């Protein structure tokens, strides 16, 4: 007797683990719902916390609704698996024994077990459903009431959560009625769905299997007949031999369809019809996440319920299904042939009319300054800070900045902010204000990306993939004010006429790891050799220049490719032409930050190219006198040294022992790019400074030869109104003063003379060949200024901002402005010798005081009638 009792206990334990294993994906999804919010807030706040932001009352409703409906679906999945598991799974006589198929219970046995459960959910399950989302929603509310109060109030937030919970209750009530009238052929087992007690009173008479056989058949019986819901645990035969589905499976699919239909209709209105309108923002990121959990858990638990009987791995089957799904499609972007030949960077610069600025530096005459801006990556933070800096500089120097701006090299998030600024200056004055540019750059694009992930990647119901959805969102904002979608060639035409700067969106060819330039003009110029650090070369480090090959695309497409944040938007390839031929090489374009997060390489190559070209011309024959590179520093890395935090103890040791190499690769990539950028900037500065020193020495020697005086008798001539900076002149004089006083012994004698003549003759041809390609006779000054972001908190790495974070950008600019106003220097001090000069003061050194009108005096001291303000 005791042995039989032990066998029964082992049987029950084996049955419990065998059946409950069918609920593993539902239980895992429940755990995910309970932990995702605290993980986002406390473990990965910079990356995930902003996904919990709620911006309106409607978003609070939909977020709470999606969370409660998803919780109900997970509970239903577990109830279905426990109710029908004994009929589906293989049972074990002993834990370590041989498996044997359990005999299927009769319909009368199922109905008796159903009666014991009772109609509807028990009270404790109702309480669990109500309380389950509350911890997550409470933490979401706490976050929003701390950092997002400008967009939503406590009344709107908690009121929306309550309304969302009531809406979920109504949907569950609707499900209980729909299953009776849409699926009448299902065996009406009890205790699985809520609200069964409201309309199942007459089902108490259905305790006789013969009465179940008299129920209508409908679509449920048809689905069982064709095998979609047929087999142990899915269906059972009634006394008339009709295969009828068991309660649970079809109803759960119906609930998922209701949820998908509601969110799909709202998503189409929000992300396709009006993707850039704040009025259409209904589904928050929180709601999209709950929907993804509902879809994945339903499919995973359904596959597990079906495959576990055959001992087939659900994960392997799901992986194979995902592989087939992704192999059947690809991520592409549109590119087309340009209707006209693209202008070059040099042509765009030659057409500019740059006003001469009154310099604040003592001893410097008014000069024309060409401005080049780099806008690095960094998600929506980079977009917001880039737009803040560009628009504030435009407002601070209204007579100078826009006319002097020659080029913007942007990457990732910086491309978004630069796009909105360029769009504003490409239209008639006042149509798009600088305030609107700053607001646009702060718009979230997480919601359309999540919508595309749900209804394209998971469910192929729309053509908008994650990249296309972000592109469509940005393109919609550009098409506001009744305008068409701008193309790179449109901006190139305006750059060729000198009305706009050249815009370069940097992307990365993931195949080669090199940059791809998506610009408004051709940046590379392989037709001319350039002089670089003593060597003559026409090689370029980028993989492909779109406009050099006379190709074109929408501006929003170029920004989407430059800002393809890893795993958020996909790596894409160009579409083929109508005849199937490749329009563009078979590249795979990803985020520009893979190759260069600062955009500095493209900027420095372009600056070097411009110096090589225009330093051969006298100042009166070129459009600018000096070049100012403004680096928008999103994280303040251009100042100070890295801070070394205290050790994190054993948790830190564990993390670095497991994912340390990945963290090292990621951190080294960013740090090495910054170090390389600073080194290359320094090399270009040294090059331009050295060229200025050499030309100053040559001019002093020429002057001395003309005067016929000795070096001891004549003092050097320091010229204030030349293209050679005072710093270069002083450096050159110091070198000359340290030069040896001993005379240079020239070779004498016929033999030595003949040898010298032969050497000169041998190198004359080579010298003459390289003469026109070497450094120009009119050196160009070059200066770099970094504008750092010094916010009160660490910037986020996502594509959404809270209201408090939105304010930090104007506050950071006000801090920079305050530093510039408080900083003073005496008139006789040389700015080059000073340290810790505020960045706005450094720009003021070359552009003049803020708001000061530009002058028309050129470097040569003559009025240039071709220049306008």
């Amino acid at each position: 007797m005791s042995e039989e009792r032990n066998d029964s206990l082992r049987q029950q334990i084996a049955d419990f683990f065998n059946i409950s294993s069918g609920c593993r994906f539902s239980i895992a999804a429940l755990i995910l719902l309970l932990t995702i919010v605290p993980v986002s807030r406390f473990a990965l706040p910079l990356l995930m916390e902003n996904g919990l932001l709620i911006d309106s009352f409607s978003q609070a409703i939909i977020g709470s609704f999606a969370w409660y409906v998803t919780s109900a679906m997970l509970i239903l999945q577990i109830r279905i698996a426990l109710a029908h598991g004994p009929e589906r799974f293989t049972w074990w006589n002993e834990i370590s024994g041989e498996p044997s198929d359990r005999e299927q219970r009769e319909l009368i046995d199922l109905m008796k077990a159903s009666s014991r459960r009772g109609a509807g959910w028990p009270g404790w399950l109702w309480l669990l459903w109500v309380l389950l989302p509350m911890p997550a929603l409470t933490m979401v509310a706490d976050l929003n009431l701390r950092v997002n109060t400008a967009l939503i109030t406590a009344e709107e937030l908690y009121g929306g959560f309550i309304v969302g919970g009531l809406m979920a209750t109504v949907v569950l009530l609707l499900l209980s009625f729909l299953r009776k009238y849409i699926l009448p052929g299902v065996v009406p087992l009890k205790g699985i769905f809520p609200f069964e007690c409201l309309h199942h009173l007459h089902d108490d008479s259905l305790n006789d299997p013969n009465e179940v056989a008299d129920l209508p058949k409908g679509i449920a019986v048809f689905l069982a007949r064709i095998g979609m819901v047929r087999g142990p645990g899915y269906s059972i035969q009634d006394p008339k031999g009709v295969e009828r589905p068991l309660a649970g499976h079809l109803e759960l699919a119906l609930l998922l369809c209701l949820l998908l239909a509601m969110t799909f209709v709202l998503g189409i209105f929000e992300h396709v019809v009006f993707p850039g309108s704040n009025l259409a923002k209904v589904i928050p990121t929180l709601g999209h996440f709950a929907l993804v959990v509902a879809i994945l858990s339903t499919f995973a638990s359904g596959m597990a319920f079906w495959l576990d009987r055959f001992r087939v791995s659900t994960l392997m089957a799901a992986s194979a299904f995902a592989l087939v799904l992704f192999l059947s499609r690809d991520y592409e972007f549109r590119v087309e042939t340009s209707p006209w030949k693209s202008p070059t960077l040099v042509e765009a610069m030659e057409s500019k009319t740059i006003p001469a600025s009154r310099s604040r530096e003592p001893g410097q005459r008014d000069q024309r300054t060409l401005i080049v801006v780099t806008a690095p990556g960094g998600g929506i933070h980079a977009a917001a800070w880039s737009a803040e800096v560009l628009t504030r500089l435009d407002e601070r120097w209204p007579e100078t900045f826009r006319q002097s701006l020659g080029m913007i090299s942007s990457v990732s998030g910086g491309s978004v902010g630069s796009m909105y600024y360029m769009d504003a200056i490409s239209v008639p004055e006042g149509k798009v204000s600088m305030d609107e540019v700053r607001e646009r750059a702060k718009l979230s694009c997480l919601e359309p990306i999540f919508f595309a992930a749900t209804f394209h990647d998971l469910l192929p119901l729309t053509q908008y993939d994650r990249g296309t959805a972000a592109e469509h969102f940005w393109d919609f904002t550009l098409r506001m004010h009744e305008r068409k979608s701008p193309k790179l060639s449109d901006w190139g035409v305006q750059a060729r006429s000198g009305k706009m700067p050249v815009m370069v969106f940097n992307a990365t060819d993931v195949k080669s790891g090199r940059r791809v330039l998506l610009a408004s003009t051709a940046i590379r110029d392989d037709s001319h050799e350039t002089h670089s650090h003593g060597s003559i070369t026409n090689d370029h480090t980028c993989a492909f220049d779109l406009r050099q090959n006379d190709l074109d695309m929408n501006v929003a497409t170029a920004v989407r490719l430059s800002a393809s944040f890893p795993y958020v938007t996909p790596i894409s390839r160009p579409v083929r032409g109508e005849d199937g031929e490749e329009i563009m090489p078979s590249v795979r374009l990803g985020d520009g930050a893979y190759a260069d997060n600062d955009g500095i390489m493209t900027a420095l190559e372009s600056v070097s190219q411009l110096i090589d070209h225009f330093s051969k011309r006298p100042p009166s024959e070129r459009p600018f006198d000096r070049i100012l590179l403004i680096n928008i520093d999103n994280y303040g890395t251009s100042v100070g040294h890295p801070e070394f935090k205290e050790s994190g103890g054993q948790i830190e040791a564990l993390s670095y022992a497991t994912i340390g190499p990945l963290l090292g690769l990621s951190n080294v990539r960013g740090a090495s790019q910054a170090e390389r950028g600073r080194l290359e900037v320094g090399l270009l500065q040294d090059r331009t400074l050295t060229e200025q020193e050499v030309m100053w020495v040559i001019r002093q020697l020429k002057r001395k030869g003309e005067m016929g005086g000795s070096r001891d008798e004549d003092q050097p001539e320091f010229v204030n109104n030349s293209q050679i900076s005072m710093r270069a002149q002083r450096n050159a004089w110091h070198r000359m003063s340290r030069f040896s006083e001993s005379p240079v012994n020239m070779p004498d004698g016929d033999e030595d003379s003949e040898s010298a003549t032969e050497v000169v003759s041998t190198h004359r041809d080579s010298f003459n060949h390289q003469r026109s390609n070497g450094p120009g006779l009119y050196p160009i000054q070059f200066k770099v200024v970094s504008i750092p972001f010094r916010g009160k908190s660490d910037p986020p790495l996502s594509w959404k901002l809270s209201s408090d974070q939105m304010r930090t950008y104007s506050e950071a600019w006000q801090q920079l402005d305050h530093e510039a106003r408080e900083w003073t220097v005496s008139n006789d001090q040389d700015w080059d010798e000073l340290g810790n000069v505020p960045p706005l003061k450094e720009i003021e050194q070359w552009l003049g005081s803020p708001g000061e009108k530009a002058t028309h005096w050129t470097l040569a001291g003559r009025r240039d009638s071709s220049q306008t303000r």
Side-chain angles (χ1 to χ4, degrees), residues 720-739:
N720 294 331
N721 60 349
S722 72
Q723 69 269 25
I724 300 177
S725 66
M726 293 299 298
R727 179 183 178 185
Q729 296 182 50
R730 286 195 307 272
N731 290 350
W733 169 244
H734 291 324
R735 296 186 188 219
M736 291 182 65
S737 64
R738 293 195 304 267
F739 193 71

Side-chain angles (χ1 to χ4, degrees), residues 14-26:
D15 293 347
F16 172 78
F17 283 107
N18 205 14
I19 296 175
S20 61
S21 66
C23 314
R24 59 189 180 275
F25 293 106
S26 304

